[in-house]
Amino acid sequence: MIDGYNTYLTPNGYTLEPIGHGKYLVAKDNHFQIIAVERSDKKYVITVGKETYEIKPELKELLTKVPTEKQLLEAIESKPNLDIKELFLELVEHLKINLDLENEHDYFLVALFILQSYKKEFLNAYFFLSADADKGSAKTVLLENISNLAYRSELVGGTTIASLRDLISTYKGNILVDEIDQISKDLKSEVMGILRKGQRRGNKIYKQVKNADGDFRPKAFEVSGSHAFVYRGVVEDALRDRSLSIQPKRSMDNTLPIINFHKVVVSSSLVVKLFLWRTTNYYLSVKRKSALVVEVVVVVAGGEVEERRKKLFDQFTKSFSPETLEYMSTLYGRNMELFYVIHSIAKLTGLPLQEYLEKIFDKKKDEDSFAEDYYY
């Protein structure tokens, strides 16, 4: 049975990506088609190739934004270039057109954060994106652009606590929080709990939920994800530790308000290509993760503790350059973990981004310099 809300890889190698209205984008070997769910024997099913799968629940609409069927069909017909190197550079250029940020490396950081959302299922941890912004620095526009470009990423505010949990846990969404230090007390408490737990996969929050019989029972919510927040003041150290920050600035370019008024239209082609790239690469991502598990099982067996630690570290970083490993030797605790995550995402692009990563983390180390660097 297929979870109707989320991406599914069939045993014969087809990737099924829900696009709402009872339809799925189906990909295999760089070939795409859109297939509708059918009703059969009081069940909802989808037939892919020679196999039929039951869908539950039937998915009519998604809570998060996806390209429309028309956009996808037009893109499939035009056979766009889905090379991730080219897509990433296009993404950086798009951000430079739509946003004014303080530093060049900030554009690459935002682009890597967006790319992280498309690989959410294959990461064991994430870096959050944060911005300390004054009034008038277009921080909301920043989050709107990210929401528009990233996979299943939504601005929250004016939402119920229950729907917030469902967005992340059931729909595998990501949250973008505007002015986290200004939202209502109850929502802030929930959001802070999610962000404290949500940086690593497997961490859950537990809430009392009423069941069909009217009784309250504890329920676990998986809340990890590629989350972001902006603030105008002070946030607790636990959130700063989990995030990499950018600095929006007040722009004097009067073209930007008009460009961003039409940002959905301007970015539509790029969003569709990123969506197609995710779907067609899903199979390879699953296979790579499965292969890594097998390799680790072999490496971890036998030896003294220090020797086994070194073997595991070498296994997980075997594709890293000497330059990268040398820089990593200057990092500790959570900063080391965040660097490992962002470097793994940067490697997907095939681009030499080491210089930008070092600038991002030099800034991070400066921000952390007043506090003890520890791991918890």
Side-chain angles (χ1 to χ4, degrees):
M1 184 181 296
I2 295 176
D3 172 7
Y5 294 123
N6 295 298
T7 313
Y8 181 78
L9 181 65
T10 71
N12 51 356
Y14 287 93
T15 300
L16 279 61
E17 179 72 39
I19 60 172
H21 306 289
K23 295 182 179 180
Y24 285 76
L25 174 66
V26 179
K28 184 179 182 181
D29 300 330
N30 291 320
H31 291 92
F32 300 94
Q33 57 185 314
I34 292 177
I35 300 178
V37 173
E38 300 174 335
R39 190 169 176 84
S40 175
D41 297 327
K42 298 183 179 181
K43 297 178 181 179
Y44 293 97
V45 299
I46 186 169
T47 301
V48 183
K50 297 180 180 180
E51 303 294 329
T52 298
Y53 304 93
E54 182 181 355
I55 303 285
K56 190 174 183 180
E58 179 205 10
L59 186 58
K60 293 183 178 179
E61 291 186 42
L62 288 167
L63 284 182
T64 52
K65 297 181 293 291
V66 295
T68 66
E69 180 179 0
K70 182 176 183 290
Q71 288 174 324
L72 290 168
L73 289 173
E74 289 175 351
I76 293 168
E77 180 68 23
S78 67
K79 297 181 179 178
N81 180 6
L82 300 180
D83 178 73
I84 189 56
K85 182 185 294 186
E86 298 301 321
L87 285 179
F88 184 79
L89 291 174
E90 183 180 348
L91 177 57
V92 172
E93 287 304 305
H94 177 84
L95 293 170
K96 288 181 177 180
I97 292 170
N98 282 49
L99 302 170
D100 268 353
L101 303 179
E102 192 70 37
N103 305 297
E104 171 77 5
H105 60 260
D106 286 342
Y107 294 102
F108 286 85
L109 175 54
V110 176
L112 289 168
F113 177 76
I114 290 168
L115 192 60
Q116 175 181 245
S117 70
Y118 285 87
K119 287 291 183 179
K120 176 177 177 176
E121 300 97 318
F122 307 103
L123 299 171
N124 292 324
Y126 313 89
F127 69 90
F128 295 162
L129 187 72
S130 65
D132 182 0
D134 295 328
K135 182 179 180 181
S137 57
K139 58 190 178 302
T140 303
V141 172
L142 166 68
L143 292 183
E144 288 173 348
N145 273 275
I146 293 173
S147 176
N148 187 44
L149 292 161
Y151 180 75
R152 296 197 179 190
S153 300
E154 297 293 329
L155 270 164
V156 299
T159 184
T160 66
I161 292 173
S163 63
L164 189 64
R165 295 180 203 136
D166 270 345
L167 172 64
I168 305 171
S169 187
T170 303
Y171 289 85
K172 305 299 185 288
N174 309 294
I175 60 171
L176 312 173
V177 190
D178 194 4
E179 296 192 355
I180 192 171
D181 48 336
Q182 305 295 322
I183 58 179
S184 67
K185 183 177 179 181
D186 289 344
L187 185 59
K188 182 178 180 179
S189 175
E190 184 72 17
V191 168
M192 297 293 275
I194 287 170
L195 294 178
R196 290 188 198 104
K197 289 285 189 178
Q199 190 251 328
R200 297 182 186 132
R201 176 176 292 283
N203 286 346
K204 296 178 173 64
I205 59 173
Y206 297 87
K207 300 291 181 179
Q208 292 282 76
V209 176
K210 185 183 290 188
N211 62 20
D213 298 325
D215 298 325
F216 283 90
R217 292 287 186 271
K219 181 178 178 180
F221 294 87
E222 165 69 67
V223 293
S224 63
S226 185
H227 306 317
F229 59 93
V230 300
Y231 56 97
R232 289 170 52 194
V234 178
V235 293
E236 63 177 60
D237 290 346
L239 298 194
R240 295 178 69 95
D241 288 346
R242 291 158 170 77
S243 66
L244 300 174
S245 68
I246 63 169
Q247 190 67 50
K249 65 180 181 180
R250 294 186 179 218
S251 176
M252 300 305 293
D253 188 338
N254 65 3
T255 67
L256 281 180
I258 307 305
I259 291 171
N260 278 292
F261 185 81
H262 297 283
K263 59 184 169 293
V264 174
V265 174
V266 172
S267 65
S268 61
S269 174
L270 176 58
V271 171
V272 171
K273 286 186 286 187
L274 287 168
F275 194 80
L276 291 174
W277 170 78
R278 168 189 156 81
T279 308
T280 196
N281 278 274
Y282 195 85
Y283 172 81
L284 290 177
S285 297
V286 171
K287 293 301 179 184
R288 288 192 192 104
K289 189 167 186 178
S290 299
L292 179 61
V293 171
V294 173
E295 291 174 358
V296 170
V297 169
V298 173
V299 168
V300 78
E304 298 295 325
V305 170
E306 289 187 7
E307 178 187 359
R308 289 160 72 181
R309 282 184 179 179
K310 185 177 185 308
K311 283 183 178 180
L312 283 169
F313 180 85
D314 291 345
Q315 177 63 35
F316 292 134
T317 59
K318 66 180 181 180
S319 62
F320 290 20
S321 69
E323 179 187 17
T324 298
L325 292 172
E326 181 180 359
Y327 186 77
M328 289 174 70
S329 69
T330 70
L331 302 172
Y332 299 91
R334 199 176 294 270
N335 281 354
M336 181 68 142
E337 179 182 33
L338 296 180
F339 185 90
Y340 181 79
V341 172
I342 197 172
H343 183 272
S344 299
I345 298 162
K347 280 183 64 64
L348 293 173
T349 70
L351 293 165
L353 301 179
Q354 180 69 23
E355 176 186 353
Y356 297 108
L357 298 186
E358 290 187 13
K359 288 180 178 179
I360 290 166
F361 275 83
D362 286 345
K363 178 185 176 186
K364 172 72 168 165
K365 287 189 287 185
D366 287 343
E367 292 170 345
D368 294 345
S369 61
F370 64 91
E372 180 184 5
D373 194 357
Y374 63 99
Y375 192 83
Y376 56 92

